[in-house]
């Protein structure tokens, strides 16, 4: 397969691809394992203080065995969660320096595999304007870890979470006096990241506020990352080439139950256009189209998500 792209930063066609797979409970596998990719993973984990030993599997793939079972559901150490988030962020940053760009992530894979990060090698004609990565990481049932976040951005994210949901406590976990801090938010009251109903709407509004704060400071959400087979973390990367931010340019669309499309903070014309697309593309049509408290919902006929 051969792809080409045009844009602000001109690039040549991709020359290769690779993938990093988080395998439960403690393996990071590299598919299409170029030496430079293996070395980036090795140095990034060492820099983040994560103990990882390399072993070869085949000519096409290899793996690192990581201490502490970082990719298992029952792994609740905050310190190790912070380190693995930091290590994977460093991998993405350092691979970019080697012309490997993150394409997407997915958890569509065999049993016991969590996220898979796909990269492609594209030589840029101009230097990338992308910078440091920070991570928004749900932790346990009601906590959030903010890993390596700029101080001013961290303060605004904490305030956004407080305004949209409520906070029981907030504490700085790591602060060396530099530009970045790592902190922990404990959410107010009973909470579950897999919530449904009103709490699910509240959760999505909170995430939208977080994404908007990051975007205002020219941090782009580059990927979701599921390391433990539970809830996705969000990776944000500084990108000075991003256009000016307008809050009204962002909304959330979610697929719910077996037949619902929900739009949160979407302008009316988006909802109208979506309804027209569904009517023309889904032969069973729309059963209900109504505004509800905090969102707009299209209920499709049949069970399209089942």
């Amino acid at each position: 397969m051969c792809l080409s792209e045009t844009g602000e930063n001109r690039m040549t066609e991709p020359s290769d691809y690779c993938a990093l797979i988080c395998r439960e409970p403690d393996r990071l596998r590299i598919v299409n394992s170029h030496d430079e990719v293996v070395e980036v993973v090795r140095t990034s984990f060492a820099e983040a203080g994560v103990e990882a030993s390399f072993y070869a599997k085949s000519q096409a793939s290899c793996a690192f065995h990581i201490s502490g079972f970082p990719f298992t559901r029952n792994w609740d150490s905050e310190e190790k969660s912070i380190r693995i988030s930091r290590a994977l962020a460093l991998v993405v940053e350092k691979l970019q320096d080697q012309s490997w760009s993150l394409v997407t992530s997915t958890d569509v894979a065999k049993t016991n595999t969590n996220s898979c990060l796909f990269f492609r090698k594209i030589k840029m004609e101009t230097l990338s304007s992308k910078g440091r990565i920070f991570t928004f990481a749900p932790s346990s049932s009601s906590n959030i870890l903010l890993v390596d976040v700029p101080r001013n951005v961290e303060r605004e994210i904490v305030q956004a979470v407080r305004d949209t949901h409520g906070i029981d406590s907030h504490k700085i976990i790591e602060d060396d006096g530099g530009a970045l801090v790592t902190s922990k938010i404990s959410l107010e009251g009973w909470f579950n990241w897999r919530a449904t109903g009103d709490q699910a709407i509240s959760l999505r509004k909170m995430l939208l506020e977080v994404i908007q704060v990051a975007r205002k400071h020219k941090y782009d959400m580059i990927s979701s990352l599921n390391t433990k087979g539970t809830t996705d973390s969000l990776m944000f990367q500084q990108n000075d080439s991003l256009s000016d931010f307008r809050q009204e340019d962002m909304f959330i669309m979610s697929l719910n139950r077996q037949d619902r499309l929900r739009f949160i903070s979407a302008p009316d014309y988006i909802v109208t256009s979506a309804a027209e697309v569904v009517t023309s593309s889904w032969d069973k049509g729309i059963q209900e189209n109504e505004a509800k408290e905090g969102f707009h919902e299209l209920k499709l006929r049949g069970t399209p998500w089942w």
Side-chain angles (χ1 to χ4, degrees), residues 251 253 259-263 266-291 296-301 305:
F251 68 91
M253 181 179 74
D259 56 2
R260 316 292 171 90
L261 273 176
R262 289 178 179 169
F263 298 86
D268 291 341
Y269 76 89
I270 291 291
V271 176
T272 300
S273 297
E276 292 172 353
V277 169
V278 172
T279 300
S280 62
S281 304
W282 177 244
D283 59 358
K284 298 181 185 299
I286 296 174
Q287 183 174 337
E288 295 177 9
N289 181 346
E290 59 181 325
H296 196 104
E297 181 177 272
L298 303 180
K299 184 178 187 298
L300 282 61
R301 296 185 186 278
W305 320 145

Side-chain angles (χ1 to χ4, degrees), residues 208-256:
L208 181 60
E209 289 281 341
V210 170
I211 294 168
Q212 289 173 336
V213 168
R215 184 63 173 74
K216 182 178 70 173
H217 291 277
K218 293 190 179 297
Y219 276 81
D220 199 15
M221 196 186 84
I222 60 169
S223 182
S224 59
L225 182 65
N226 187 332
T227 57
K228 294 189 287 186
T230 52
T231 306
D232 285 354
S233 299
L234 304 179
M235 299 177 73
F236 296 88
Q237 185 169 32
Q238 186 180 21
N239 186 351
D240 291 336
S241 68
L242 290 174
S243 59
D244 291 338
F245 168 74
R246 297 196 313 163
Q247 189 170 15
E248 59 269 24
D249 289 340
M250 286 189 177
F251 68 91
I252 286 178
M253 181 179 74
S254 64
L255 282 64
N256 295 84

Side-chain angles (χ1 to χ4, degrees), residues 146 154 158 162 167-172 183-186:
L146 301 175
E154 193 268 351
V158 172
R162 179 178 285 115
I167 290 176
D168 270 344
S169 64
H170 165 242
K171 69 175 182 179
I172 301 296
S183 64
K184 174 185 174 182
I185 299 171
S186 294

Side-chain angles (χ1 to χ4, degrees), residues 43-86:
T43 57
S44 297
F45 275 68
E47 186 175 332
V50 176
E51 184 179 341
S53 57
F54 173 82
Y55 70 92
K57 183 69 174 177
S58 70
Q59 290 183 341
S61 71
C62 65
F64 284 84
H65 171 252
I66 305 169
S67 65
F69 307 108
F71 302 137
T72 185
R73 293 173 185 267
N74 297 323
W75 193 64
D76 293 324
S77 167
E78 284 181 8
E79 179 184 359
K80 291 181 179 179
S81 293
I82 290 168
R83 287 184 179 180
I84 200 71
S85 294
R86 182 173 292 146

